[in-house]
Amino acid sequence: MTTTSPDQRPDEATLEFLRSAFEPAWREPVLGDESVSAWESENGVVLPEPYRSLVAEIANGSSLGPPEDGGLLPLGWLPPGWPYQAARNPAARFPLQKTWAREGEAPSEDRPERIADVYNHGSIVLGTEDELSYWVLVVTGPQRGRVWLVTDVGASPYPTSEALGFLEWVQRWHADDGWWD
């Protein structure tokens, strides 16, 4: 069962931008619509556009691209240093709606479970910045379609309290607008 109906297919200008942002020499082979649909069925979630069209038609990841440390991961892949190797559940609701700083938080019995949920529920991993910071695309709940940065000290929408969508995240990288500006 999917969590939402599919988004409207991106317009040709958006797809052309994505083609230009991910140079052919660095692209991983596309999955095709059938394989993406099969992944969605298996994981109980519909991928947000334009990410869905990217992996189906343009590139299923790219070794050159955002994030700059290793590029954009193929759909369903995890970086080698991913801290929570337990089963991921993209269909579970993403647990956050605003920045969560774990450092100042009082210890609690459910804290390890809440941390694991942030890493493993309601998102796909786009890549890593430094093996301590991970870019995720939220695929469920109110933050669906938004990019978040999940780190060893917390998680936050990127770049401010209002997260960018996948397209804007790529545009910012492509324009060399600086991740932390």
Side-chain angles (χ1 to χ4, degrees):
M1 181 166 91
T2 58
T3 59
T4 185
S5 61
D7 301 324
Q8 183 174 342
R9 180 178 162 71
D11 61 23
E12 192 53 40
T14 298
L15 295 173
E16 189 54 40
F17 167 75
L18 290 171
R19 285 184 198 101
S20 70
F22 296 99
E23 296 178 28
W26 299 98
R27 295 179 193 167
E28 295 297 326
V30 299
L31 291 179
D33 193 57
E34 267 187 46
S35 292
V36 172
S37 293
W39 185 93
E40 290 172 325
S41 291
E42 182 179 314
N43 287 279
V45 67
V46 173
L47 296 170
E49 290 289 0
Y51 177 81
R52 185 185 197 285
S53 289
L54 175 79
V55 298
E57 302 171 25
I58 299 169
N60 181 28
S62 173
S63 55
L64 179 64
E68 293 178 357
D69 187 8
L72 185 66
L73 289 173
L75 175 62
W77 286 32
L78 296 174
W82 186 253
Y84 289 89
Q85 296 294 330
R88 290 187 42 77
N89 186 356
R93 186 181 176 99
F94 184 70
L96 301 175
Q97 290 189 49
K98 62 182 182 177
T99 298
W100 179 41
R102 295 189 330 231
E103 282 187 327
E105 186 178 77
S108 65
E109 283 185 29
D110 70 338
R111 187 171 192 239
E113 182 179 314
R114 288 186 304 128
I115 293 169
D117 288 353
V118 170
Y119 277 90
N120 289 323
H121 287 178
S123 68
I124 57 162
V125 182
L126 298 173
T128 182
E129 200 59 35
D130 55 13
E131 292 294 337
L132 294 174
S133 304
Y134 302 93
W135 298 104
V136 300
L137 177 62
V138 177
V139 296
T140 63
Q143 291 293 309
R144 184 178 187 279
R146 302 295 180 182
V147 175
W148 278 63
L149 187 63
V150 178
T151 74
D152 59 333
V153 295
S156 61
Y158 177 78
T160 63
S161 62
E162 292 297 318
L164 294 175
F166 178 75
L167 176 63
E168 294 82 10
W169 182 71
V170 173
Q171 288 170 329
R172 192 164 181 169
W173 165 77
H174 192 257
D176 199 20
D177 196 11
W179 287 117
W180 309 108
D181 294 342

